[in-house]
């Protein structure tokens, strides 16, 4: 029944040629004509094409006439490569029986390649290693083959070597998939079960769920049910990806396709859910349903107050295509009305920011990112804080717990010292090290998430000349000596500048921020003090000097008392301005908090 079906995915680090290989496979199997061919066919967003990063998982069905004379149905599921989208990768792996492990011939194994490889091994997939970019002058395929062989045991001479860009040896990849990837298993006659591994929102068809049929068969007239969200619906359309959506009458066990549900909110069709036919007794859901948990929080505010409703509409539409984005209304003294948003990581936040600015033409200010803290009050009450502005007074707090992560950094051994220096400066704790290949080391650390989210990745890349890569997973919440760092501008606290820092670092960070703000806040007609306050004490202060208008310019000669009289009058005016005047803070000042990296 399933002998002619092969379901596989491609896993790789960013920029190792995953999307380029997918393009060549589509061309080789005549799924896309040469006329319709474009680079990164499966990457449909402009952002994906520009950044060279797959952001959303996508699927495509190919027909391939193998050397044994049989026709095979190959279902390729393209997975994101960035650590922030690990949840989408794990769902895509659950829909496959095999995985192509793509490794760049010049870069070798990297942290996220390893992370995705371990996920694939946990899912019990058949791993087919492929070395890509053998056409590069800097390629070292023999060394990389040894690295892979030491790691997963495949003999170095059996590893396929290709150039996806030039199409060299790509046919061999398809033959190997047919030979080594096992056909799907499932109960054709059992109750229908399908795993939702991705979804998107279509304004005509509602939520479109990308599914891998596990058991049974699906007819487009069937009444269906989502087990985890407990939602019933009748599909508007069912079909397969070729690579555009093509409607069909049926989907059978082992196949990959889509169900257009007609549902109007993506929260009703969550990734990882199980779709089945509506019945009195529902079958067991497929394993692995979990909610993606946001790790980084930031405030998003419109530059112009009247754009608040437009920003709300834009976030609603974005959430329909990205279920991992969460947001709720928030008010700031400095920035008025906006939203507190939760993201999977800094890269996810950057993607959302760019999509808001490009696709919805929004002018926005994003506040410094923060993480979720657990606060235990002396009264015994526990609070969860997503913004430093909501932290209670020091006297009420018994302890503050912050999220810690397990961090793996994969680097050439030359940069061992530089990596250790970066991590220890940011309160990281060394755990262990492994040497998966000659000249390369995997360093394992534990580190607070707050130290990772701002510019850690940028600093790591610059100190290692681009060679180090990283991956991280949530570990636990730990108690630490944390304090709120507040900035007062003209004696008024600006909540958008508030951060939670380690008590030992409060003075240094406060001083750095004050120095930066002094340069960025424009001079007023009165003196503006800027102060950093932590634990009830002013730990740093600077003054933005007043602009002085020369009121005596027109006063020629005569008695000195005439000039004094004018200056006294000016002093009274400035005093009144100081009482009622508010300071205009430019957008660059809010971004200054983001750029307090290691100098």
């Amino acid at each position: 029944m399933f002998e002619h079906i092969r379901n596989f995915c491609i896993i790789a680090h960013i920029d190792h040629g995953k999307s380029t290989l997918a393009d060549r496979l589509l061309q080789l199997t005549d799924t896309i004509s040469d006329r319709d061919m474009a680079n990164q066919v499966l990457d449909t967003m402009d952002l994906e094409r520009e950044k060279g990063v797959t952001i959303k998982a996508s699927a495509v069905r190919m027909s391939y006439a193998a050397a044994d004379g049989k026709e095979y149905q190959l279902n390729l599921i393209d997975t994101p490569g960035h650590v922030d989208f690990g949840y989408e990768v794990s769902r895509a792996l659950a829909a496959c029986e095999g995985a192509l492990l793509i490794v760049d011939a010049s870069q070798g194994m990297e942290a996220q390649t390893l992370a995705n490889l371990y996920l694939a091994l946990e899912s019990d997939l058949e791993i087919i290693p492929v070395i890509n970019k053998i056409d590069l002058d800097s390629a070292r395929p023999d060394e990389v083959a040894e690295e892979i062989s030491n790691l997963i045991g495949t003999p170095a001479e059996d590893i396929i070597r290709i150039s996806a860009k030039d199409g060299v040896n790509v046919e061999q990849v398809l033959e190997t998939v047919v030979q080594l990837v096992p056909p799907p298993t499932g109960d054709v006659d059992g109750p229908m079960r399908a795993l939702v591994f991705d979804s998107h929102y279509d304004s005509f068809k509602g939520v479109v769920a990308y599914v891998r049929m596990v058991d049974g068969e699906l007819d487009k007239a069937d009444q269906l049910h989502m087990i985890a969200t407990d939602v019933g619906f009748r599909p508007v359309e069912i079909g397969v990806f070729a690579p555009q959506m093509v409607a069909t009458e049926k989907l059978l066990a082992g196949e990959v396709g889509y169900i257009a549900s007609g549902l109007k909110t993506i929260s009703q069709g969550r990734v990882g859910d199980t779709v089945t036919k509506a019945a009195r007794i529902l079958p067991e859901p497929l394993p692995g349903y979990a909610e993606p948990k946001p790790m980084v929080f930031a405030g998003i505010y419109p530059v112009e107050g009247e754009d608040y409703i437009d920003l709300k509409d834009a976030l609603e539409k974005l959430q329909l295509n990205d279920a991992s984005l969460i947001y709720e209304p928030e008010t700031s003294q400095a920035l008025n009305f906006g939203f507190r948003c939760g993201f999977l990581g800094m890269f996810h936040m950057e993607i959302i920011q760019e999509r808001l600015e490009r696709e919805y033409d929004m002018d926005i200010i994003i506040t410094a990112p923060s993480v979720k803290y657990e606060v235990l009050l002396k009264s015994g009450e526990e609070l969860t804080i997503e913004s430093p502005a909501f932290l209670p007074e020091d006297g009420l707090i018994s302890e503050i717990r912050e999220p810690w992560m397990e961090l793996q950094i994969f680097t050439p051994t030359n940069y061992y010292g530089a990596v250790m220096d970066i991590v220890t400066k940011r309160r990281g704790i060394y755990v262990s090290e492994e040497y998966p290949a000659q000249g390369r080391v995997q360093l394992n650390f534990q580190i607070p998430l707050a130290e990772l989210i701002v510019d850690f990745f940028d600093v790591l890349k610059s100190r290692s000349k681009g060679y180090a890569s990283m991956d991280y997973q949530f570990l636990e919440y730990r108690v630490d000596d944390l304090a709120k760092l507040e900035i007062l501008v003209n004696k008024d606290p600006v909540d958008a500048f508030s951060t939670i820092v380690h008590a030992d670092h409060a003075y240094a960070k406060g001083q750095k921020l004050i120095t930066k703000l002094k340069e960025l806040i424009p001079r007023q007609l009165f003196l503006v003090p800027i102060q950093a306050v932590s634990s009830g004490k002013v730990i740093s202060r600077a003054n933005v000097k007043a602009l002085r208008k020369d009121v005596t310019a027109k006063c020629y000669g005569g008695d000195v008392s005439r000039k004094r009289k004018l200056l006294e009058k000016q002093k009274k005016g400035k005093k009144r301005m100081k009482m009622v005047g508010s300071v205009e803070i430019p957008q660059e000042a809010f971004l200054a908090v983001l750029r307090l990296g290691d100098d």
Side-chain angles (χ1 to χ4, degrees), residues 230-302:
D230 196 25
V231 174
F233 64 95
R234 189 182 291 278
V236 176
E237 179 182 295
I238 64 171
V240 297
F241 301 97
Q244 286 78 29
M245 296 197 297
V246 178
T248 59
E249 292 296 314
K250 283 187 176 182
L251 282 176
L252 305 174
E255 293 188 329
V256 173
Y258 68 87
I259 302 171
S261 67
L263 298 171
K264 291 301 175 193
T265 60
I266 210 153
S267 58
Q268 294 176 315
R270 286 278 185 189
V271 173
D273 204 345
T274 303
V275 184
T276 185
K277 291 182 185 178
R280 195 172 302 151
I281 300 169
L282 296 173
E284 278 291 300
L286 293 161
Y289 178 75
E291 292 272 340
K293 291 186 177 68
M295 302 302 289
V296 175
F297 296 85
I300 296 185
Y301 294 85

Side-chain angles (χ1 to χ4, degrees), residues 371-375 400-405 427 447-451 474 476-482 500-502:
V371 300
K372 195 181 274 188
Y373 293 91
E374 291 178 350
V375 180
I400 304 175
R401 296 188 284 267
E402 65 176 336
W404 278 65
M405 314 301 282
R427 299 194 284 136
I447 190 169
L449 178 58
E451 300 288 348
F474 175 71
E476 63 183 359
Y477 271 88
R478 285 187 193 168
V479 177
D480 215 329
D481 185 11
L482 302 169
I500 295 174
V501 297
H502 194 274

Side-chain angles (χ1 to χ4, degrees), residues 334-335 365 489 494 497 517 520-522 524 583-590:
L335 303 169
I365 291 174
V489 177
V494 181
F497 288 143
L517 290 175
L520 293 169
I521 292 176
Q524 315 289 318
V583 182
E584 246 188 49
I585 301 171
Q587 189 172 340
E588 296 78 52
F590 294 103

